[in-house]
Amino acid sequence: MTQQEAIQNVLASQEFLDVVEELKANHLQTIVYSTEKETNLREGAYHRISCINELMSTLESIAMTGEIKSKAWKIF
C-alpha cells in the first residue's frame, strides 16, 4: 500500500473524520465559553484549530496527488 492509498483510507474513515470534527468543536467551545480575560486560552484554542485544519489540508493534498497527476496526463 502506498502512502497515498493509506491516507485515502484514513480520510475515508468516518470514525477519523468524527474525531477531527470533535476536536475542532471542543476547541471552538473553549473559545466561545472563555472569559474576557482568558486571551491566552482563546489563542491556544485558535492555534490548535489552525493546526488541525493544516493537517487535514496536507492529508487531502497527498491523497489527491495521484488523481491530479492522472488528469494531467489526459490533458496532453
Side-chain angles (χ1 to χ4, degrees):
M1 178 181 296
T2 67
Q3 179 187 33
Q4 179 187 1
E5 292 170 334
I7 292 172
Q8 286 173 339
N9 290 339
V10 168
L11 292 175
S13 167
Q14 190 58 49
E15 292 80 7
F16 174 76
L17 297 175
D18 290 345
V19 169
V20 169
E21 287 305 314
E22 183 180 343
L23 281 170
K24 287 169 58 174
N26 287 342
H27 293 305
L28 187 57
Q29 292 298 318
T30 299
I31 293 170
V32 170
Y33 292 110
S34 63
T35 65
E36 184 179 336
K37 295 179 181 181
E38 294 177 313
T39 306
N40 289 336
L41 183 66
R42 285 192 300 276
E43 286 181 6
Y46 171 79
H47 289 297
R48 287 181 186 96
I49 291 170
S50 294
C51 287
I52 292 168
N53 289 338
E54 183 177 351
L55 172 67
M56 291 304 291
S57 294
T58 301
L59 292 176
E60 290 166 359
S61 174
I62 293 169
M64 293 188 68
T65 300
E67 182 179 324
I68 292 169
K69 285 182 182 177
S70 68
K71 288 182 180 180
W73 288 110
K74 291 179 185 177
I75 294 172
F76 296 112

Coordinates of all heavy atoms in Angstrom, one line a residue:
M1 N 0.9 -1.2 0.0 CA 0.0 0.0 0.0 C 0.9 1.2 0.0 O 1.8 1.4 0.8 CB -0.9 0.0 1.2 CG -1.8 1.2 1.3 SD -2.9 1.3 2.8 CE -3.9 -0.1 2.5
T2 N 0.6 2.2 -0.9 CA 1.4 3.4 -1.0 C 0.9 4.4 0.1 O -0.2 4.2 0.7 CB 1.2 4.0 -2.3 OG1 -0.1 4.5 -2.5 CG2 1.6 3.1 -3.5
Q3 N 1.7 5.4 0.3 CA 1.4 6.5 1.3 C 0.0 7.1 0.9 O -0.8 7.4 1.7 CB 2.5 7.5 1.3 CG 2.2 8.6 2.3 CD 3.2 9.8 2.2 OE1 3.8 10.0 1.1 NE2 3.4 10.4 3.3
Q4 N -0.1 7.4 -0.4 CA -1.3 8.0 -0.9 C -2.6 7.1 -0.6 O -3.6 7.6 -0.2 CB -1.2 8.2 -2.4 CG -2.5 8.8 -3.0 CD -2.4 8.9 -4.5 OE1 -1.4 8.5 -5.1 NE2 -3.4 9.4 -5.1
E5 N -2.5 5.8 -0.9 CA -3.6 4.9 -0.6 C -3.9 4.9 0.9 O -5.1 4.8 1.3 CB -3.3 3.5 -1.1 CG -3.2 3.5 -2.6 CD -2.7 2.1 -3.1 OE1 -1.9 1.5 -2.4 OE2 -3.0 1.8 -4.3
A6 N -2.9 4.8 1.7 CA -3.1 4.8 3.1 C -3.8 6.0 3.6 O -4.7 5.9 4.5 CB -1.7 4.6 3.9
I7 N -3.4 7.2 3.1 CA -4.0 8.4 3.6 C -5.5 8.5 3.0 O -6.4 9.0 3.7 CB -3.2 9.6 3.1 CG1 -1.9 9.6 4.0 CG2 -3.9 10.9 3.3 CD1 -0.9 10.6 3.5
Q8 N -5.7 8.0 1.8 CA -7.1 8.0 1.3 C -7.9 7.1 2.2 O -9.1 7.5 2.4 CB -7.1 7.4 -0.1 CG -6.5 8.4 -1.2 CD -6.4 7.8 -2.5 OE1 -6.3 6.6 -2.7 NE2 -6.3 8.6 -3.6
N9 N -7.4 6.0 2.7 CA -8.2 5.1 3.6 C -8.5 5.8 4.9 O -9.6 5.7 5.4 CB -7.4 3.8 3.8 CG -7.4 2.9 2.6 OD1 -8.2 3.1 1.7 ND2 -6.4 2.0 2.6
V10 N -7.5 6.6 5.4 CA -7.8 7.3 6.7 C -8.8 8.4 6.4 O -9.7 8.5 7.3 CB -6.4 7.9 7.2 CG1 -6.7 8.9 8.3 CG2 -5.5 6.9 7.6
L11 N -8.7 9.1 5.3 CA -9.7 10.2 5.1 C -11.1 9.6 4.8 O -12.1 10.3 4.9 CB -9.2 11.1 3.9 CG -8.0 11.9 4.3 CD1 -7.5 12.7 3.0 CD2 -8.3 12.9 5.4
A12 N -11.2 8.4 4.3 CA -12.4 7.7 4.0 C -13.1 7.2 5.3 O -14.3 6.8 5.3 CB -12.3 6.6 3.0
S13 N -12.3 7.2 6.4 CA -12.8 6.6 7.7 C -13.7 7.7 8.4 O -13.2 8.7 8.8 CB -11.7 6.2 8.6 OG -12.1 6.0 9.9
Q14 N -15.0 7.3 8.5 CA -15.9 8.2 9.2 C -15.5 8.4 10.7 O -15.7 9.5 11.2 CB -17.3 7.7 9.1 CG -18.4 8.7 9.5 CD -18.3 10.1 8.8 OE1 -18.3 10.1 7.6 NE2 -18.3 11.2 9.5
E15 N -15.0 7.4 11.3 CA -14.5 7.5 12.7 C -13.4 8.5 12.8 O -13.5 9.4 13.7 CB -14.1 6.1 13.2 CG -15.1 5.1 13.3 CD -15.5 4.4 12.0 OE1 -14.8 4.6 11.0 OE2 -16.5 3.7 12.0
F16 N -12.5 8.5 11.9 CA -11.4 9.5 11.9 C -11.9 10.9 11.7 O -11.6 11.8 12.5 CB -10.3 9.2 10.8 CG -9.3 10.2 10.7 CD1 -8.3 10.3 11.7 CD2 -9.3 11.2 9.7 CE1 -7.3 11.3 11.5 CE2 -8.3 12.1 9.6 CZ -7.3 12.2 10.5
L17 N -12.8 11.1 10.7 CA -13.4 12.4 10.5 C -14.2 12.9 11.7 O -14.2 14.1 12.0 CB -14.2 12.3 9.2 CG -13.5 12.0 7.9 CD1 -14.5 11.9 6.8 CD2 -12.4 13.0 7.6
D18 N -14.9 12.0 12.3 CA -15.7 12.3 13.5 C -14.8 12.8 14.6 O -15.1 13.8 15.3 CB -16.5 11.2 14.0 CG -17.7 10.8 13.1 OD1 -18.0 11.6 12.2 OD2 -18.2 9.7 13.2
V19 N -13.7 12.2 14.8 CA -12.7 12.6 15.9 C -12.1 14.0 15.6 O -12.0 14.8 16.5 CB -11.6 11.5 16.1 CG1 -10.5 12.1 16.9 CG2 -12.1 10.3 16.6
V20 N -11.8 14.2 14.3 CA -11.3 15.5 13.9 C -12.3 16.6 14.2 O -12.0 17.7 14.7 CB -10.8 15.5 12.4 CG1 -10.5 16.9 11.9 CG2 -9.6 14.6 12.2
E21 N -13.5 16.4 13.8 CA -14.6 17.3 14.0 C -14.9 17.6 15.5 O -15.1 18.7 15.9 CB -15.9 16.9 13.3 CG -15.8 17.1 11.8 CD -15.5 18.5 11.3 OE1 -16.0 19.4 11.9 OE2 -14.6 18.6 10.5
E22 N -14.8 16.5 16.3 CA -15.0 16.6 17.7 C -13.9 17.5 18.3 O -14.1 18.3 19.2 CB -15.0 15.3 18.4 CG -15.3 15.3 19.9 CD -15.3 13.9 20.5 OE1 -15.4 12.9 19.8 OE2 -15.2 13.8 21.7
L23 N -12.6 17.3 17.9 CA -11.5 18.1 18.4 C -11.7 19.5 18.1 O -11.5 20.4 18.9 CB -10.2 17.6 17.8 CG -9.5 16.4 18.4 CD1 -8.4 15.9 17.5 CD2 -9.1 16.7 19.8
K24 N -12.1 19.8 16.8 CA -12.3 21.2 16.4 C -13.5 21.8 17.2 O -13.4 23.0 17.7 CB -12.6 21.3 14.9 CG -11.3 21.1 14.1 CD -11.6 20.9 12.6 CE -12.3 22.0 11.9 NZ -12.4 21.8 10.5
A25 N -14.5 21.1 17.4 CA -15.7 21.6 18.2 C -15.3 21.8 19.6 O -15.7 22.9 20.2 CB -16.8 20.6 18.1
N26 N -14.5 21.0 20.2 CA -14.1 21.2 21.6 C -13.3 22.5 21.7 O -13.4 23.3 22.7 CB -13.2 20.0 22.1 CG -14.1 18.8 22.4 OD1 -15.3 18.9 22.5 ND2 -13.4 17.7 22.4
H27 N -12.4 22.7 20.8 CA -11.6 23.9 20.8 C -12.4 25.2 20.6 O -12.2 26.2 21.2 CB -10.4 23.9 19.9 CG -9.4 22.8 20.2 ND1 -8.8 22.8 21.5 CD2 -8.9 21.8 19.6 CE1 -7.9 21.8 21.6 NE2 -8.0 21.1 20.4
L28 N -13.4 25.0 19.7 CA -14.3 26.2 19.4 C -15.1 26.5 20.7 O -15.3 27.7 21.0 CB -15.2 25.8 18.2 CG -16.1 26.9 17.7 CD1 -15.3 28.2 17.3 CD2 -16.9 26.5 16.6
Q29 N -15.5 25.5 21.4 CA -16.3 25.7 22.6 C -15.4 26.4 23.7 O -15.9 27.2 24.4 CB -16.8 24.3 23.2 CG -17.8 23.7 22.4 CD -19.1 24.5 22.3 OE1 -19.5 25.1 23.2 NE2 -19.6 24.6 21.1
T30 N -14.1 26.1 23.7 CA -13.2 26.8 24.5 C -13.2 28.2 24.2 O -13.2 29.1 25.1 CB -11.8 26.2 24.4 OG1 -11.8 24.8 24.8 CG2 -10.8 26.9 25.3
I31 N -13.1 28.6 23.0 CA -13.2 30.0 22.5 C -14.5 30.6 22.9 O -14.5 31.7 23.5 CB -12.9 30.1 21.0 CG1 -11.5 29.6 20.7 CG2 -13.2 31.5 20.6 CD1 -11.2 29.5 19.2
V32 N -15.6 30.0 22.6 CA -16.9 30.6 22.9 C -17.1 30.8 24.4 O -17.7 31.9 24.7 CB -18.0 29.7 22.3 CG1 -19.4 30.1 22.7 CG2 -17.9 29.7 20.7
Y33 N -16.8 29.9 25.2 CA -17.1 30.0 26.6 C -16.0 30.5 27.5 O -16.0 30.5 28.7 CB -17.5 28.6 27.1 CG -18.9 28.2 26.5 CD1 -18.9 27.1 25.6 CD2 -20.0 28.9 26.9 CE1 -20.2 26.8 25.1 CE2 -21.2 28.5 26.3 CZ -21.3 27.5 25.4 OH -22.5 27.1 24.9
S34 N -14.9 31.1 26.8 CA -13.9 31.7 27.6 C -14.3 33.0 28.1 O -15.2 33.7 27.5 CB -12.6 31.8 26.8 OG -12.8 32.7 25.7
T35 N -13.7 33.4 29.2 CA -14.0 34.8 29.7 C -13.2 35.8 29.0 O -12.2 35.5 28.3 CB -13.7 34.9 31.2 OG1 -12.3 34.7 31.4 CG2 -14.4 33.8 32.0
E36 N -13.5 37.1 29.2 CA -12.8 38.2 28.5 C -11.3 38.2 28.8 O -10.5 38.5 28.0 CB -13.4 39.5 29.0 CG -12.9 40.7 28.3 CD -13.5 42.0 28.8 OE1 -14.7 41.9 29.3 OE2 -12.9 43.0 28.7
K37 N -10.9 37.7 30.0 CA -9.5 37.8 30.4 C -8.7 36.6 30.0 O -7.5 36.6 30.1 CB -9.4 37.9 32.0 CG -10.0 39.2 32.5 CD -10.0 39.3 34.0 CE -10.6 40.6 34.5 NZ -10.5 40.7 35.9
E38 N -9.4 35.6 29.4 CA -8.7 34.3 29.0 C -8.2 34.4 27.6 O -8.3 33.5 26.8 CB -9.6 33.1 29.2 CG -9.9 32.9 30.7 CD -10.9 31.7 30.9 OE1 -11.9 31.7 30.2 OE2 -10.6 30.9 31.7
T39 N -7.4 35.4 27.3 CA -6.9 35.7 25.9 C -6.0 34.5 25.5 O -6.1 34.0 24.4 CB -6.2 37.0 25.9 OG1 -7.0 38.0 26.3 CG2 -5.7 37.3 24.4
N40 N -5.1 34.1 26.4 CA -4.1 33.1 26.0 C -4.8 31.8 25.8 O -4.4 31.0 24.9 CB -3.1 32.9 27.2 CG -2.1 34.1 27.2 OD1 -1.9 34.8 26.2 ND2 -1.5 34.3 28.4
L41 N -5.9 31.5 26.5 CA -6.7 30.3 26.3 C -7.3 30.3 24.9 O -7.3 29.3 24.2 CB -7.7 30.1 27.4 CG -8.6 28.9 27.4 CD1 -7.7 27.7 27.7 CD2 -9.7 29.0 28.4
R42 N -7.9 31.4 24.6 CA -8.5 31.5 23.3 C -7.5 31.4 22.1 O -7.8 30.7 21.1 CB -9.3 32.8 23.1 CG -10.6 32.9 23.9 CD -11.4 34.1 23.5 NE -10.7 35.4 23.7 CZ -10.7 36.0 24.9 NH1 -11.4 35.5 25.9 NH2 -10.1 37.2 25.0
E43 N -6.4 32.0 22.3 CA -5.3 32.0 21.3 C -4.8 30.6 21.1 O -4.6 30.1 20.0 CB -4.2 32.9 21.6 CG -4.5 34.4 21.4 CD -3.4 35.3 21.7 OE1 -2.3 34.8 22.0 OE2 -3.6 36.5 21.6
G44 N -4.7 29.9 22.2 CA -4.2 28.5 22.1 C -5.2 27.6 21.4 O -4.8 26.8 20.6
A45 N -6.5 27.8 21.7 CA -7.5 27.0 21.0 C -7.6 27.3 19.5 O -7.7 26.5 18.7 CB -8.9 27.3 21.7
Y46 N -7.4 28.6 19.2 CA -7.4 29.0 17.8 C -6.2 28.4 17.1 O -6.4 27.9 16.0 CB -7.3 30.6 17.7 CG -7.1 31.0 16.3 CD1 -8.1 31.1 15.4 CD2 -5.8 31.4 15.9 CE1 -7.9 31.5 14.1 CE2 -5.5 31.8 14.6 CZ -6.6 31.9 13.7 OH -6.4 32.3 12.4
H47 N -5.1 28.4 17.7 CA -3.9 27.8 17.1 C -4.1 26.3 16.9 O -3.6 25.7 15.8 CB -2.6 28.1 17.9 CG -2.2 29.5 17.8 ND1 -1.8 30.1 16.6 CD2 -2.1 30.4 18.7 CE1 -1.5 31.4 16.9 NE2 -1.6 31.6 18.1
R48 N -4.7 25.6 17.8 CA -5.0 24.2 17.7 C -5.9 23.9 16.5 O -5.7 23.0 15.7 CB -5.5 23.6 19.0 CG -4.4 23.5 20.1 CD -5.0 22.9 21.4 NE -4.0 23.0 22.4 CZ -3.9 23.9 23.3 NH1 -4.8 24.9 23.3 NH2 -2.9 23.9 24.2
I49 N -6.9 24.7 16.4 CA -7.9 24.6 15.3 C -7.1 24.8 13.9 O -7.3 24.1 13.0 CB -9.1 25.5 15.4 CG1 -10.0 25.1 16.6 CG2 -9.9 25.6 14.1 CD1 -11.0 26.1 16.9
S50 N -6.3 25.8 13.9 CA -5.5 26.1 12.7 C -4.6 24.9 12.4 O -4.4 24.5 11.2 CB -4.6 27.3 12.9 OG -5.4 28.5 13.0
C51 N -4.0 24.3 13.4 CA -3.1 23.1 13.1 C -3.9 21.9 12.6 O -3.5 21.2 11.7 CB -2.4 22.7 14.4 SG -1.1 23.8 14.9
I52 N -5.1 21.7 13.2 CA -5.9 20.6 12.7 C -6.3 20.9 11.2 O -6.3 20.0 10.4 CB -7.2 20.5 13.6 CG1 -6.8 20.0 15.0 CG2 -8.2 19.5 12.9 CD1 -7.9 20.1 16.0
N53 N -6.7 22.1 10.9 CA -7.0 22.4 9.5 C -5.8 22.2 8.6 O -6.0 21.7 7.4 CB -7.5 23.9 9.4 CG -8.9 24.0 10.0 OD1 -9.7 23.1 10.2 ND2 -9.2 25.3 10.4
E54 N -4.7 22.6 9.0 CA -3.5 22.5 8.2 C -3.2 21.0 8.0 O -2.8 20.6 6.9 CB -2.3 23.2 8.8 CG -1.0 23.1 8.0 CD 0.1 23.9 8.6 OE1 0.0 24.6 9.6 OE2 1.3 23.7 8.0
L55 N -3.3 20.2 9.0 CA -3.1 18.8 8.9 C -4.0 18.1 7.9 O -3.6 17.4 7.0 CB -3.2 18.1 10.3 CG -3.2 16.6 10.3 CD1 -1.8 16.1 9.9 CD2 -3.6 16.0 11.6
M56 N -5.3 18.5 8.0 CA -6.3 17.9 7.1 C -6.0 18.3 5.7 O -6.2 17.5 4.7 CB -7.7 18.3 7.6 CG -8.1 17.7 8.9 SD -8.1 15.9 8.8 CE -9.4 15.5 7.7
S57 N -5.7 19.6 5.5 CA -5.3 20.1 4.1 C -4.2 19.3 3.5 O -4.2 19.0 2.4 CB -5.0 21.6 4.1 OG -6.2 22.3 4.5
T58 N -3.2 19.1 4.3 CA -2.0 18.4 3.9 C -2.3 16.9 3.5 O -1.9 16.4 2.5 CB -0.9 18.4 5.0 OG1 -0.5 19.7 5.2 CG2 0.4 17.6 4.5
L59 N -3.1 16.3 4.4 CA -3.5 14.9 4.1 C -4.4 14.8 2.8 O -4.2 13.9 2.0 CB -4.3 14.3 5.3 CG -3.5 14.1 6.5 CD1 -4.5 13.6 7.7 CD2 -2.4 13.1 6.3
E60 N -5.3 15.8 2.6 CA -6.1 15.8 1.4 C -5.3 16.0 0.2 O -5.6 15.5 -0.9 CB -7.2 16.8 1.6 CG -8.3 16.5 2.6 CD -9.2 17.6 3.0 OE1 -9.0 18.7 2.5 OE2 -10.1 17.3 3.8
S61 N -4.3 16.9 0.3 CA -3.4 17.2 -0.8 C -2.6 15.9 -1.2 O -2.5 15.6 -2.4 CB -2.4 18.3 -0.4 OG -1.5 18.5 -1.4
I62 N -2.1 15.2 -0.3 CA -1.4 14.0 -0.5 C -2.3 12.9 -1.2 O -1.9 12.3 -2.1 CB -0.7 13.4 0.7 CG1 0.4 14.4 1.2 CG2 -0.2 12.0 0.5 CD1 0.9 14.0 2.6
A63 N -3.5 12.8 -0.6 CA -4.5 11.9 -1.1 C -4.9 12.2 -2.6 O -5.2 11.2 -3.4 CB -5.7 11.8 -0.2
M64 N -4.9 13.4 -3.0 CA -5.4 13.8 -4.3 C -4.2 13.9 -5.3 O -4.5 14.1 -6.5 CB -6.1 15.1 -4.2 CG -7.4 15.0 -3.5 SD -8.4 16.5 -3.6 CE -8.8 16.4 -5.3
T65 N -3.0 13.7 -4.9 CA -1.8 13.9 -5.8 C -1.9 13.0 -7.0 O -1.8 13.4 -8.1 CB -0.5 13.7 -5.0 OG1 -0.4 14.6 -4.0 CG2 0.7 13.8 -5.9
G66 N -2.3 11.7 -6.7 CA -2.4 10.7 -7.8 C -3.5 11.1 -8.8 O -3.4 10.9 -10.0
E67 N -4.6 11.5 -8.2 CA -5.8 11.9 -9.1 C -5.4 13.1 -10.0 O -5.7 13.1 -11.2 CB -6.9 12.3 -8.2 CG -8.2 12.6 -8.9 CD -9.4 12.9 -8.0 OE1 -9.5 12.3 -6.9 OE2 -10.1 13.8 -8.4
I68 N -4.7 14.1 -9.4 CA -4.3 15.2 -10.2 C -3.3 14.8 -11.3 O -3.4 15.3 -12.4 CB -3.7 16.3 -9.2 CG1 -4.8 16.9 -8.3 CG2 -3.0 17.4 -10.0 CD1 -4.2 17.7 -7.2
K69 N -2.3 14.0 -10.9 CA -1.4 13.5 -11.9 C -2.0 12.7 -13.1 O -1.7 12.9 -14.2 CB -0.3 12.6 -11.3 CG 0.7 13.4 -10.4 CD 1.7 12.5 -9.8 CE 2.7 13.3 -9.0 NZ 3.7 12.4 -8.3
S70 N -3.0 11.9 -12.7 CA -3.7 11.1 -13.8 C -4.5 12.0 -14.7 O -4.5 11.8 -15.9 CB -4.6 10.0 -13.2 OG -5.7 10.6 -12.5
K71 N -5.1 13.1 -14.2 CA -5.8 14.0 -15.0 C -4.9 14.9 -15.9 O -5.2 15.3 -17.0 CB -6.7 14.9 -14.2 CG -7.9 14.2 -13.6 CD -8.8 15.1 -12.8 CE -10.0 14.3 -12.2 NZ -10.9 15.1 -11.5
A72 N -3.7 15.2 -15.3 CA -2.7 16.0 -16.1 C -2.3 15.3 -17.3 O -2.1 15.9 -18.4 CB -1.5 16.3 -15.2
W73 N -2.1 14.0 -17.3 CA -1.7 13.2 -18.4 C -2.8 13.2 -19.5 O -2.6 13.1 -20.7 CB -1.3 11.8 -18.0 CG 0.0 11.8 -17.3 CD1 0.2 11.5 -16.0 CD2 1.3 12.1 -17.9 NE1 1.5 11.6 -15.7 CE2 2.2 12.0 -16.8 CE3 1.7 12.5 -19.1 CZ2 3.6 12.3 -17.0 CZ3 3.1 12.7 -19.3 CH2 4.0 12.6 -18.2
K74 N -4.1 13.2 -19.1 CA -5.2 13.2 -20.0 C -5.2 14.5 -20.8 O -5.8 14.5 -22.0 CB -6.5 13.0 -19.3 CG -6.6 11.6 -18.7 CD -7.9 11.4 -18.0 CE -8.0 10.1 -17.3 NZ -9.2 9.9 -16.5
I75 N -4.8 15.6 -20.3 CA -4.8 16.9 -21.0 C -3.9 16.8 -22.2 O -4.2 17.3 -23.3 CB -4.4 18.0 -20.0 CG1 -5.4 18.1 -19.0 CG2 -4.2 19.3 -20.8 CD1 -5.0 19.1 -17.9
F76 N -2.7 16.2 -22.1 CA -1.8 16.2 -23.2 C -2.2 15.1 -24.1 O -2.0 14.6 -25.0 CB -0.3 16.0 -22.7 CG 0.1 17.2 -21.8 CD1 0.3 17.0 -20.5 CD2 0.3 18.4 -22.4 CE1 0.7 18.1 -19.7 CE2 0.7 19.5 -21.6 CZ 0.9 19.3 -20.3

